[in-house]
Amino acid sequence: MPIQIIRTDITKLNCDAIVNAANNSLLGGGGVDGAIHRAAGPNLLRECRTLHGCETGQAKITGAYKLPCKYVIHTVGPVWRGGQNGEKQLLESCYRESLKLAKKYECESVAFPLISSGVYGYPKDQALKVAMDVCSDFLLKNDMLVNIVIFDKAAYQISEKLFSDIRAYIDDHYVDLHTDSLYERMLREQCSQILEMDECVAEFPKLAMPLADSFQLEDNKPSMAAPMQAQQLAPQMSLDEKLGQIDESFSQMLLRKIDEKGMTDAQCYKKANVDRKLFSKIRSNVHYSPSKTTAIAFAIALELSLEETKEMLMKAGYALSHSNKFDLIIEYFIQSGNYNIFEINEALFMFDQSLLGM
Ligand code: APR
């Protein structure tokens, strides 16, 4: 996925470039600025001195020295003064100018902290939205892996109500390890059917007999084995006939749904945060099987119902499992008709699950 939200220390990332939330002097400070300078060593400061500062909203690039990445892009975010002083435009410019520099230096991957959302006081959820919007617009025309690095949970102000609703949904539906496995449940159901059938034959021999005719009966009662015999009696389809009945594939269903929703391919894969190359692979290969996260991202982008989502996942070989919290949270949002990728990610983040890209 071209935009990933990850929770880590940006100084540990070995992507091509990491972005520093610096101040106008570019001579270091606290927060992520301090962490980057500490990890890079004194040569970073030495090079920064040659840059003679940086305007707010602008960006400059240096080497990375002891850091695992190749470059450090220093940008200066706006100080938050209530949101009516052009802060959003300046913050957008930070991301845009940094991405321009990353492209100029042929970076294939870049990582941003949430610029201005620490010392400079920009509300974290709004800072995240600006980051996602500018980066996803850039990725419509460019190929690059963009990581938005969240360093602390405060970045997600999930509402208490939403959190408790999801908590309750998980508790109600979570199938943990010591409940019956699917096989045990199916076996129990099959046995109870056989029992019913026995009772049925005993109770209504006339009714049951035609049925019994098609079974080899043991002492006049259908047995567990009977269904197997019944299957043996059913005319066997040839493999070719079976293969001739192959269902619509994942990729065929995806393209059909895009048309039904009146979306363009680009609108869909951008909303699903899937890059153009991957989408064209799916479009050109009718049997392409995507990752589960990608399949779910498309279901969210297309705003499919839960049944349609399960159908689409099944075509890619997956299911939504009640023993998987990630799946339950996705199911909760689809059931509530909430396809807001930010709220979904906030919830996934709060429950320590991996996130869907944008
Ligand atoms: N990795 C990733 N993110 C980090 C890290 C880290 N190691 N350390 C802090 N952050 C996050 C913070 O949690 C915050 O969300 O970076 C975001 C930006 O916070 P700040 O570093 O405080 O930057 P900013 O709000 O833009 O203020 C810039 O602070 O450090 C000084 O010199 C800097 O004067 C400048 C001002």
Side-chain angles (χ1 to χ4, degrees):
M1 295 197 167
I3 302 183
Q4 307 208 5
I5 304 173
I6 55 176
R7 191 170 48 186
T8 189
D9 175 349
I10 201 167
T11 63
K12 304 279 187 272
L13 292 176
N14 66 354
C15 45
D16 289 346
I18 64 171
V19 177
N20 178 24
N23 57 48
N24 295 111
S25 71
L26 293 190
L27 299 181
V32 71
D33 194 3
I36 288 174
H37 275 275
R38 277 192 301 278
N43 290 329
L44 177 62
L45 182 57
R46 208 163 282 131
E47 184 175 356
C48 283
R49 284 210 173 93
T50 66
L51 300 177
H52 307 301
C54 179
E55 292 299 311
T56 300
Q58 294 305 305
K60 293 190 177 179
I61 195 166
T62 65
Y65 303 98
K66 291 185 190 152
L67 285 161
C69 56
K70 282 188 211 154
Y71 301 106
V72 178
I73 294 172
H74 307 264
T75 188
V76 183
V79 176
W80 178 257
R81 293 193 171 84
Q84 305 306 318
N85 303 281
E87 295 95 323
K88 184 166 179 282
Q89 289 69 25
L90 282 169
L91 187 59
E92 287 171 343
S93 171
C94 287
Y95 287 95
R96 210 172 291 127
E97 292 305 313
S98 302
L99 287 165
K100 249 192 235 166
L101 269 179
K103 183 177 178 182
K104 183 178 167 193
Y105 281 72
E106 296 173 351
C107 296
E108 291 180 0
S109 56
V110 65
F112 286 94
L114 279 186
I115 301 163
S116 282
S117 70
V119 169
Y120 282 2
Y122 209 108
K124 289 189 186 270
D125 51 338
Q126 293 180 48
L128 176 62
K129 185 97 179 54
V130 167
M132 300 299 278
D133 287 349
V134 174
C135 294
S136 54
D137 282 347
F138 171 83
L139 289 170
L140 257 186
K141 305 176 228 37
N142 300 279
D143 287 332
M144 194 184 288
L145 175 62
V146 176
N147 291 296
I148 308 286
V149 179
I150 309 284
F151 195 58
D152 49 27
K153 280 203 171 180
Y156 278 121
Q157 311 301 333
I158 187 171
S159 68
E160 255 328 292
K161 165 141 183 17
L162 180 60
F163 187 85
S164 50
D165 282 0
I166 296 167
R167 174 86 276 154
Y169 190 85
I170 290 175
D171 293 345
D172 291 350
H173 296 80
Y174 187 54
V175 174
D176 54 21
L177 295 183
H178 46 265
T179 46
D180 290 347
S181 70
L182 182 61
Y183 173 70
E184 282 151 353
R185 278 209 303 278
M186 275 176 62
L187 196 63
R188 218 179 32 251
E189 277 155 23
Q190 189 138 19
C191 290
S192 68
Q193 277 167 13
I194 291 295
L195 283 175
E196 277 158 30
M197 196 185 278
D198 282 355
E199 281 149 27
C200 168
V201 168
E203 282 283 299
F204 309 102
K206 294 265 176 297
L207 182 74
M209 279 330 278
L211 182 67
D213 285 348
S214 65
F215 291 100
Q216 302 300 324
L217 298 178
E218 283 155 24
D219 53 56
N220 214 17
K221 280 192 171 184
S223 73
M224 188 67 164
M228 290 309 291
Q229 286 159 347
Q231 277 166 13
Q232 279 147 8
L233 290 173
Q236 285 300 324
M237 246 190 272
S238 72
L239 179 57
D240 286 349
E241 281 163 343
K242 271 201 178 304
L243 290 176
Q245 290 188 356
I246 201 160
D247 261 355
E248 178 188 44
S249 71
F250 167 82
S251 127
Q252 287 168 327
M253 180 175 176
L254 172 63
L255 299 178
R256 173 170 61 85
K257 282 294 171 190
I258 290 174
D259 290 344
E260 285 173 9
K261 301 280 180 179
M263 294 172 86
T264 63
D265 290 354
Q267 282 170 335
C268 181
Y269 66 71
K270 182 198 165 236
K271 206 174 158 196
N273 186 37
V274 169
D275 67 20
R276 212 179 7 203
K277 273 188 276 187
L278 176 54
F279 183 81
S280 52
K281 269 191 213 156
I282 296 174
R283 167 174 271 290
S284 54
N285 175 359
V286 72
H287 298 302
Y288 188 90
S289 56
S291 71
K292 184 171 183 178
T293 315
T294 299
I296 288 177
F298 277 119
I300 298 290
L302 289 163
E303 302 194 1
L304 299 186
S305 68
L306 186 57
E307 283 326 302
E308 290 172 318
T309 300
K310 287 178 177 173
E311 185 192 352
M312 183 177 255
L313 281 175
M314 193 185 61
K315 291 179 184 301
Y318 304 112
L320 283 180
S321 155
H322 279 187
S323 52
N324 178 322
K325 286 187 183 168
F326 178 93
D327 292 3
L328 276 171
I329 292 170
I330 296 295
E331 190 174 303
Y332 168 84
F333 278 91
I334 292 176
Q335 291 276 48
S336 1
N338 181 349
Y339 295 93
N340 178 324
I341 197 85
F342 290 101
E343 283 196 27
I344 296 174
N345 272 337
E346 284 169 356
L348 291 170
F349 191 86
M350 291 310 284
F351 285 91
D352 294 322
Q353 301 298 312
S354 54
L355 306 183
L356 285 177
M358 198 266 294

